[in-house]
Amino acid sequence: MIHKIFFTIILLFLFSCSDKTEKKKVEFYYNESLKELKKGNYFSAIDNLEIIESDHPYSNYSVKAEILNAFINYINKDYDLAISAAEKFIKLRPANKYVDYMYFLRAEAYYVSRSDYLREQNSSMSARKSFLQLISRFSKKKYTPYSIEKLTEINNELANYNLDIGRTHLKRGEYIPALKRFENILIEYKKTKYSKEASFRLVETYFALGLIEQAKYHAEILAAQTTESFWQLKSVEFSKLYLN
């Protein structure tokens, strides 16, 4: 799916290189870039594109060069450069017919460059934001099903990340930071598979703080859920032992 999306766009460029109105010099650089791309010589391909962007910014090939530049950086795993190129395009050409592709490429670059859930999650947060923007702005485009799928994955990872930190705070008796993490899961990632445990951890944390009414409140919410779960049963057991 992902490769189809990327290469469908690029193929449009591969077969649009014969614009008679462009100067032969610009056309030469563009075609040379395509040749180098096909050979896998990414840096040489980018060098030719950058000549077009810097020396012929008003050429019809300039837009193509900007998009192709971002794409080559992506496939060469220079994700920061791909993101930077995509963001520049989005800012300067918001009405361009290919801007949706650049939104997609930016989101995908953030997605593939994210770290595992135990490390900092800046790239995951940026990927989430970018996919949400893509869906919001281009809801009827072909990118939406893929974006929703990736958002589900990212949300689960971010919920797990917050849950892991929250548990650590709870074990150390750092109850306020723990509360913030668990509450954040229920606000931002309520539909993830980690929300039920986050609810139970809130019950535990409020109880540890001596806030029995708040603990009962969250226990009742968890108990009222129609789908039975391990954390629901655990909450019922906890309530019988400590909250009645």
Side-chain angles (χ1 to χ4, degrees):
M1 171 62 181
I2 181 66
H3 296 296
K4 276 188 177 181
I5 291 174
F6 274 124
F7 286 101
T8 297
I9 297 296
I10 296 307
L11 283 173
L12 293 175
F13 299 139
L14 293 177
F15 294 105
S16 61
C17 305
S18 57
D19 190 336
K20 303 299 183 181
T21 64
E22 292 298 322
K23 293 179 181 180
K24 288 184 179 180
K25 193 173 184 180
V26 181
E27 187 174 308
F28 168 79
Y29 286 127
Y30 189 78
N31 287 331
E32 283 299 301
S33 179
L34 291 176
K35 289 178 185 177
E36 295 300 317
L37 172 59
K38 290 177 182 178
K39 294 176 185 177
N41 298 329
Y42 300 136
F43 293 111
S44 297
I46 288 174
D47 286 342
N48 284 289
L49 295 173
E50 288 181 345
I51 292 172
I52 297 173
E53 291 183 53
S54 62
D55 296 350
H56 307 277
Y58 302 109
S59 162
N60 288 342
Y61 284 87
S62 181
V63 171
K64 298 176 183 179
E66 290 172 21
I67 295 173
L68 200 55
N69 191 337
F71 170 76
I72 293 172
N73 279 310
Y74 173 84
I75 61 176
N76 198 35
K77 299 183 180 180
D78 288 330
Y79 300 124
D80 287 342
L81 291 177
I83 291 164
S84 178
E87 289 184 338
K88 179 182 176 183
F89 189 96
I90 290 167
K91 182 178 180 180
L92 297 179
R93 306 182 188 277
N96 186 272
K97 64 180 179 179
Y98 293 117
V99 73
D100 59 332
Y101 174 73
M102 298 302 268
Y103 270 90
F104 171 74
L105 189 145
R106 180 183 64 174
E108 184 64 18
Y110 275 126
Y111 172 77
V112 297
S113 63
R114 74 197 193 289
S115 59
D116 66 65
Y117 85 92
L118 292 175
R119 300 180 183 178
E120 59 83 20
Q121 296 296 304
N122 290 338
S123 290
S124 293
M125 292 292 293
S126 295
R128 181 175 186 261
K129 181 179 178 181
S130 297
F131 277 122
L132 285 170
Q133 288 178 343
L134 181 62
I135 292 170
S136 175
R137 289 206 57 182
F138 310 101
S139 59
K140 296 181 181 180
K141 294 285 186 176
K142 57 182 173 291
Y143 309 114
T144 300
Y146 179 84
S147 299
I148 292 172
E149 176 188 331
K150 294 307 170 187
L151 270 174
T152 299
E153 184 180 340
I154 293 167
N155 284 339
N156 273 304
E157 289 175 355
L158 290 171
N160 195 16
Y161 173 74
N162 278 275
L163 189 57
D164 187 72
I165 295 175
R167 288 196 212 99
T168 300
H169 284 309
L170 183 57
K171 288 177 183 177
R172 293 175 178 172
E174 300 163 352
Y175 301 128
I176 301 304
L179 278 178
K180 289 181 179 179
R181 292 289 177 173
F182 301 141
E183 287 173 346
N184 185 51
I185 294 169
L186 297 181
I187 294 170
E188 296 291 337
Y189 315 110
K190 189 174 183 178
K191 294 182 179 180
T192 67
K193 60 185 179 181
Y194 297 101
S195 62
K196 288 182 173 60
E197 182 178 354
S199 294
F200 174 71
R201 298 302 178 188
L202 276 177
V203 175
E204 284 189 314
T205 308
Y206 277 120
F207 176 78
L209 283 166
L211 300 173
I212 305 304
E213 291 306 313
Q214 288 89 332
K216 285 183 178 180
Y217 172 75
H218 285 281
E220 288 169 1
I221 291 176
L222 189 52
Q225 292 181 1
T226 55
T227 305
E228 190 176 90
S229 67
F230 169 81
W231 297 106
Q232 185 187 55
L233 296 174
K234 196 170 178 64
S235 178
V236 170
E237 182 182 345
F238 187 90
S239 298
K240 288 179 180 178
L241 288 172
Y242 303 109
L243 302 180
N244 290 330

